[in-house]
């Protein structure tokens, strides 16, 4: 069930009332909320006014999740891409000469994808994957 503004405010109230700094930190981790002075504004709706960061959400979150969970889950029988196909993808990526402003992604698709930065995931998603897949 999606979080509501009232849920958020209640969780923030619990965080603020924590007796210790450690307890507050634990509640912040568990609930994902922190206090902000904006909550003192009666018209402020913390859930509705949330801005999602597309660079990290789309590229570091979604692209990484899809690649890691669905394509290269080598321990699972549900893997879509085999090790040999990952090698083929790597050779296709190696043959691409990207514009200098894009930069390169790490050299080993099959093993180092977990070390990609958000910018490298963007480059993979926008530049390399349409060609390599």
């Amino acid at each position: 069930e999606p979080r509501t503004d009232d849920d958020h405010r209640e969780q923030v109230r619990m965080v603020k009332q924590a007796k210790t700094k450690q307890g507050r930190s634990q509640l912040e981790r568990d609930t994902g909320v922190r206090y902000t002075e904006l909550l003192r504004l009666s018209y402020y709706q913390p859930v509705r006014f949330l801005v999602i960061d597309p660079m990290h959400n789309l590229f570091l979150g979604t692209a990484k999740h899809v690649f890691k969970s669905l394509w290269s889950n080598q321990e699972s029988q549900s893997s879509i891409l085999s090790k040999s196909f990952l090698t083929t993808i790597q050779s296709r990526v190696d043959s691409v000469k990207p514009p200098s402003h894009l930069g390169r992604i790490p050299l080993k698709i099959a093993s180092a994808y977990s070390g990609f930065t958000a910018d490298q995931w963007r480059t993979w998603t926008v530049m390399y994957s349409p060609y390599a897949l």
Side-chain angles (χ1 to χ4, degrees):
E1 179 175 316
R3 183 183 302 193
T4 66
D5 289 319
D6 290 335
D7 294 338
H8 184 87
R9 286 180 183 276
E10 176 61 24
Q11 291 169 340
V12 167
R13 187 189 60 73
M14 290 178 0
V15 167
K16 277 187 71 175
Q17 291 178 348
K19 303 269 189 239
T20 65
K21 188 174 183 177
Q22 183 180 10
R24 184 175 64 240
S25 294
Q26 184 63 45
L27 281 170
E28 288 173 345
R29 276 192 302 279
D30 292 347
T31 61
V33 301
R34 289 180 186 231
Y35 176 75
T36 173
E37 288 292 319
L38 292 171
L39 290 168
R40 294 177 58 189
L41 302 171
S42 61
Y43 59 85
Y44 181 70
Q45 298 174 355
V47 174
R48 184 171 182 210
F49 296 168
L50 174 73
V51 176
I52 297 173
D53 172 18
M55 180 65 154
H56 289 90
N57 181 46
L58 293 177
F59 298 122
L60 191 55
T62 304
K64 181 177 181 179
H65 172 75
V66 168
F67 192 77
K68 190 174 183 179
S69 299
L70 302 177
W71 295 349
S72 66
N73 190 359
Q74 298 299 319
E75 294 80 33
S76 164
Q77 296 300 324
S78 65
S79 178
I80 293 173
L81 300 180
S82 66
K83 280 254 191 218
S84 63
F85 193 67
L86 289 172
T87 303
T88 302
I89 290 172
Q90 183 66 53
S91 66
R92 290 177 183 168
V93 167
D94 291 342
S95 70
V96 172
K97 303 237 187 284
S100 61
H101 71 278
L102 283 181
R104 301 255 333 142
I105 59 174
L107 296 177
K108 299 294 179 204
I109 296 292
S111 61
Y113 64 86
S114 62
F116 282 18
T117 63
D119 189 54
Q120 289 167 328
W121 278 112
R122 177 189 57 82
T123 302
W124 162 255
T125 304
V126 174
M127 171 75 180
Y128 292 102
S129 68
Y131 169 72
L133 299 174

